[in-house]
Amino acid sequence: MPFELDTGNTAWLLTSAALVLLMTPALAFFYGGMVRGKSVLNMMMMSFGAIAVVGIVWVLWGYSMTFGSDVAGIFGNPTEFFGLAPLTDDANSLLAGSGVPALVAAGFQATFAIITVALISGAIADRARFGAWLVFAGVWVTLVYFPLAHMVWGGGLLGAGENGIAAAIYGVTDGIANVAPIDFAGGTVVHINAGVAGLVLALIIGKRKGFGKEPMRPHNLPFVMLGAALLWFGWFGFNAGSAGAANEVAGLAWVNTTVATCAAMGAWLLTERLRDGHATSLGAASGVVAGLVAITPAAAAVNPIGAIALGAVAGVLCALAVGLKYRFGYDDSLDVVGVHLVGGLVGTVLIGLLGTDTGLLYGGGIDQLVIQVVIALAAVIFSGVLTFVIGFVIKVTMGWRISEEAEVGGIDLAEHGETAYETIAQGRVIQEVRA
């Protein structure tokens, strides 16, 4: 069947791609406001650095490794679409059925890879060498993100195809597993993946100097709230754009993204109020992100009431989870584990209960819940093991940590030779003169 361009769907996917790309600079503001003033530029540069590295790698071999011909169910052929040159034939488009050209679909998917890498940076704020981070970004996206995305979305082991885990457990009908895993826009591929990677790197690199002993409060809460607002805005491209067309599925994803986020923000604030006596702006911003994370895999699988329930659960659990780092002693600086790992797990697993077609609470039995747990655990193990290997190799070769002097004085000056605020630079000069 020849390809027929649909200008409406193509316009929506181009818009969605731009929205998702905006999410990474939005994350830079969100993370940048949460660190201390002497670290804000480095924190923002880690997000911008992810854009620079992953954008190039995606064109060269990332798209091929994600959506190329299957190799052992783990990754795609890395040379099949090298440089995206073969995608001039729109019959090869991921969204050919929606009338969206191949390059548009490929560009949309590139933005997912970029934001996933950038998310990890929040776990290692204030202490990681910028060069080591850029090397990690290129290696990790190649060895972890692309294969996991292939396994879930590209016809690999964690997808709905006849060669996947679900098909092996539940059998196949017309080439599709009888009980297919659901990850609409990235619960496993993006959020569980990034959350586990952040935890592993935090353990490998170690704690910030003074962690747990001195206050490390956000230096600019308006930045945090601006970042959260822009993330919410961009997330409509993330979720509604994943419908692949301007249709009723996109509309459902849009509504669910809105109400789940509202519920999560309210639940986080209520949890704070009951636990601490205050409902904070940082809690509101964090609740927004927790709701967005949780609804991502389920945006087209639940109805709006289910989305509200899912968001409320995520808001409470993520609000409680961010304190685990103090109990267990790992320095996840900006709560990547508490928000993205926990939120991703909540959204992925609760599809098995709240999914309107196959969820347990809608008469679908336990099968969907089981397969959602299986793919979530598989993502945790895959990402955890490979991230440990990559992170450890970088530690023993390049080294991850800046010097103690640079960490105390400020990573912005040490790594980038500049500061966000003139008062910090003046203070550094005074210290040097006194020394």
Side-chain angles (χ1 to χ4, degrees), residues 38 404-414 419 424 428 431:
K38 62 183 180 180
E404 183 175 319
E405 179 185 5
E407 188 173 340
V408 172
I411 193 171
D412 285 354
L413 274 171
T419 63
I424 294 175
R428 180 68 176 269
Q431 288 178 349

Side-chain angles (χ1 to χ4, degrees), residues 81-412:
F81 299 106
F82 186 85
L84 303 184
L87 293 185
T88 53
D89 181 3
D90 288 327
N92 291 325
S93 175
L94 299 173
L95 299 172
S98 298
V100 176
L103 281 174
V104 175
F108 177 64
Q109 285 294 328
T111 61
F112 283 65
I114 289 168
I115 187 69
T116 303
V117 174
L119 289 172
I120 301 168
S121 65
I124 57 172
D126 296 344
R127 58 202 190 274
R129 295 174 56 207
F130 188 60
W133 165 251
L134 294 181
V135 171
F136 172 82
V139 176
W140 186 88
V141 78
T142 298
L143 299 183
V144 183
Y145 178 86
F146 298 151
L148 188 58
H150 176 80
M151 284 191 276
V152 174
W153 294 329
L157 291 175
L158 302 182
E162 58 185 358
N163 296 319
I165 293 174
I169 298 173
Y170 294 113
V172 180
T173 300
D174 296 329
I176 302 295
N178 291 328
V179 180
I182 298 173
D183 186 355
F184 184 69
T188 53
V189 177
V190 177
H191 299 293
I192 293 175
N193 197 7
V196 171
L199 174 60
V200 171
L201 285 191
L203 293 173
I204 288 175
I205 297 172
K207 304 172 187 176
R208 288 167 291 178
K209 182 176 176 59
F211 173 74
K213 299 176 182 179
E214 60 185 64
M216 298 181 180
R217 298 187 181 93
H219 89 285
N220 193 323
L221 287 170
F223 268 21
V224 177
M225 299 196 79
L226 172 63
L230 290 173
L231 281 168
W232 196 344
F233 179 64
W235 223 289
F236 290 117
F238 202 83
N239 286 355
S242 291
N247 57 20
E248 67 278 2
V249 176
L252 175 64
W254 195 101
V255 171
N256 284 344
T257 299
T258 300
V259 297
T261 306
C262 293
M265 177 169 52
W268 189 302
L269 292 175
L270 179 60
T271 302
E272 275 193 329
R273 177 70 177 176
L274 294 175
R275 182 186 61 195
D276 308 322
H278 302 282
T280 67
S281 59
L282 179 61
S286 299
V288 164
V289 177
L292 293 168
V293 169
I295 196 59
T296 292
V302 301
N303 61 29
I305 296 299
I308 292 172
L310 188 153
V313 172
V316 173
L317 292 182
C318 291
L320 297 174
V322 295
L324 293 177
K325 62 185 178 183
Y326 299 109
R327 178 175 298 180
F328 294 107
Y330 60 89
D331 186 6
D332 169 24
S333 310
L334 307 183
D335 302 320
V336 178
V337 176
V339 174
H340 293 278
L341 176 56
V342 173
L345 288 170
V346 168
T348 299
V349 172
L350 286 187
I351 293 171
L353 296 177
L354 299 172
T356 52
D357 292 331
T358 56
L360 180 62
L361 299 182
Y362 288 83
I366 200 172
D367 291 349
Q368 189 70 57
L369 179 60
V370 170
I371 201 62
Q372 295 302 121
V373 171
V374 167
I375 65 169
L377 290 177
V380 168
I381 295 169
F382 182 83
S383 181
V385 171
L386 287 181
T387 302
F388 175 80
V389 173
I390 297 166
F392 183 77
V393 170
I394 291 177
K395 180 178 181 179
V396 299
T397 53
M398 299 181 64
W400 271 107
R401 291 294 292 256
I402 59 173
S403 68
E404 183 175 319
E405 179 185 5
E407 188 173 340
V408 172
I411 193 171
D412 285 354

Side-chain angles (χ1 to χ4, degrees), residues 7-62:
T7 56
N9 288 342
T10 300
W12 171 233
L13 262 293
L14 285 169
T15 302
S16 295
L19 288 170
V20 182
L21 184 60
L22 175 66
M23 288 171 63
T24 302
L27 183 74
F29 274 99
F30 182 74
Y31 279 170
M34 290 176 70
V35 296
R36 291 168 289 181
K38 62 183 180 180
S39 305
V40 56
L41 294 180
N42 176 258
M43 194 70 257
M44 299 182 83
M45 281 290 288
M46 292 176 86
S47 288
F48 278 85
I51 298 175
V53 172
V54 180
I56 299 300
V57 172
W58 176 260
V59 169
L60 295 179
W61 61 79

